Amino acid sequence: MTNQTIKIKARPDETIRFPGLCVHCGQPGAAPLRLKKRHGRVTRLIDVPLCAECAQQLARKSGEEERLEKIGWAVAGATAVILLALGLLLTPSGLAFWLRLLLGLVLGLGVGTAVLVYFRRRALQNALPAKQAILQSAQIETFSWRAVTFSFTNETFYERFRALNQPLLMEMSN
């Protein structure tokens, strides 16, 4: 399968119209697949349709994916608790207790969240091949304040999306 790329005019507050087809297999679709793209501090979230079968496949996890998610929670929790304790112990005792506690909490939660994100990314790399294929069937390539560039692997979905958004199509720049 090759990726078809399309660019449309769409501001962040505008609704983007998608055909009522599953973005992966082309069956009638109603369940959402959330596409997410981050550019600097701005994140764009767009829901594309999935059929019930693909949504069910997306919910399944491989043994390794599940194991890494559980380990991630445990390591993130332990990291947060250890950094909270270190924050309380290593900050000057002249500071108010609530300030030391706040500093330890911020440090622990920040690093714990980073550890959790790392393990989630590792788990996603070990997802089932069917799940990875569904997740790769639609992507936000780029976005700006006035346009969004998508890539789709399903040619039928791409053609219907193109026809549905014909007035909004933009030239692709290299």
Side-chain angles (χ1 to χ4, degrees), residues 75-86:
V75 171
T79 301
V81 169
I82 289 168
L83 288 174
L84 171 61
L86 285 175

Side-chain angles (χ1 to χ4, degrees), residues 35-103:
L35 303 180
K36 181 178 178 180
K37 179 75 171 183
R38 186 178 180 108
H39 182 71
R41 290 184 173 179
V42 180
T43 301
R44 189 85 189 250
L45 301 171
I46 299 172
D47 289 335
V48 295
L50 273 183
C51 67
E53 186 177 324
C54 287
Q56 187 178 18
Q57 284 289 330
L58 206 56
R60 293 183 60 214
K61 295 181 181 180
S62 69
E64 184 66 9
E65 183 182 8
E66 200 167 314
R67 185 181 77 80
L68 284 169
E69 281 185 2
K70 288 178 181 176
I71 289 172
W73 278 106
V75 171
T79 301
V81 169
I82 289 168
L83 288 174
L84 171 61
L86 285 175
L88 286 171
L89 292 172
L90 299 178
T91 51
S93 59
L95 287 175
F97 176 76
W98 66 268
L99 191 56
R100 293 172 44 214
L101 179 66
L102 181 64
L103 181 65

Side-chain angles (χ1 to χ4, degrees), residues 5-8 141-142 144 146-149 169-174:
T5 305
I6 187 168
K7 184 175 184 178
I8 64 167
E141 295 293 325
T142 60
S144 67
R146 68 181 190 103
V148 181
T149 305
L169 294 180
M170 296 179 73
E171 289 260 340
M172 296 289 296
S173 59
N174 295 340

Side-chain angles (χ1 to χ4, degrees), residues 19 21 26 155-165:
L21 301 175
E155 195 171 332
T156 304
F157 188 88
Y158 169 78
E159 291 299 332
R160 296 254 179 103
F161 180 77
R162 184 178 181 83
L164 195 60
N165 292 289

